[in-house]
Amino acid sequence: QVQLVESGGGLVQPGGSLRLSCAASEILFRFYVMGWYRQAPGKQRELVATITNGESTNYANSVKGRFTISRDNAKNTVDLQMNSLSPEDTAIYYCNVARDPFHTYWGKGTLVTVSS
């Protein structure tokens, strides 16, 4: 089984920063794409950012310029640096990895709350 554990969530004031980390139970080269999604209360789950084994990244328009996704193969982690946070960023953030089009895995999520 592929296990994903997210960490780094918490309460932060508007304008602040958080860094989320997703630790995978398998070496990262097994996954062709890794990413972060989020789901706010009463809203649909949405893509935040993705990164491929080739270091190609993709971001939702709402987070471009503020969030940075990266991977650390030595630690088997996929990280999300979040800057200039606003209340609209409040959500449960989920790590997701895909081994192939038929196998995708999810973490249980970590809560990010942006509030004064």
Side-chain angles (χ1 to χ4, degrees), residues 72-88:
D72 188 330
N73 292 338
K75 299 191 299 182
N76 284 352
T77 63
V78 180
D79 302 321
L80 184 70
Q81 178 66 46
M82 306 185 295
N83 299 325
S84 301
L85 288 164
S86 65
E88 67 182 15

Side-chain angles (χ1 to χ4, degrees), residues 56-105:
S56 177
T57 58
N58 185 48
Y59 297 92
N61 288 333
S62 60
V63 306
K64 286 182 179 178
R66 298 189 298 121
F67 291 10
T68 302
I69 189 170
S70 61
R71 66 181 189 179
D72 188 330
N73 292 338
K75 299 191 299 182
N76 284 352
T77 63
V78 180
D79 302 321
L80 184 70
Q81 178 66 46
M82 306 185 295
N83 299 325
S84 301
L85 288 164
S86 65
E88 67 182 15
D89 296 314
T90 295
I92 298 176
Y93 285 71
Y94 298 92
C95 181
N96 172 261
V97 302
R99 178 181 294 166
D100 54 56
F102 307 102
H103 297 86
T104 186
Y105 306 92

Side-chain angles (χ1 to χ4, degrees), residues 5-71:
V5 180
E6 302 100 331
S7 62
L11 176 64
V12 64
Q13 294 186 350
S17 298
L18 284 175
R19 185 176 181 87
L20 306 182
S21 182
C22 172
S25 62
E26 298 185 10
I27 51 181
L28 298 187
F29 75 78
R30 293 184 182 272
F31 310 114
Y32 77 95
V33 63
M34 299 153 283
W36 288 90
Y37 290 72
R38 68 185 182 186
Q39 186 168 19
K43 298 182 179 179
Q44 296 183 354
R45 184 177 60 190
E46 64 177 354
L47 172 70
V48 176
T50 61
I51 185 169
T52 69
N53 284 337
E55 301 290 341
S56 177
T57 58
N58 185 48
Y59 297 92
N61 288 333
S62 60
V63 306
K64 286 182 179 178
R66 298 189 298 121
F67 291 10
T68 302
I69 189 170
S70 61
R71 66 181 189 179

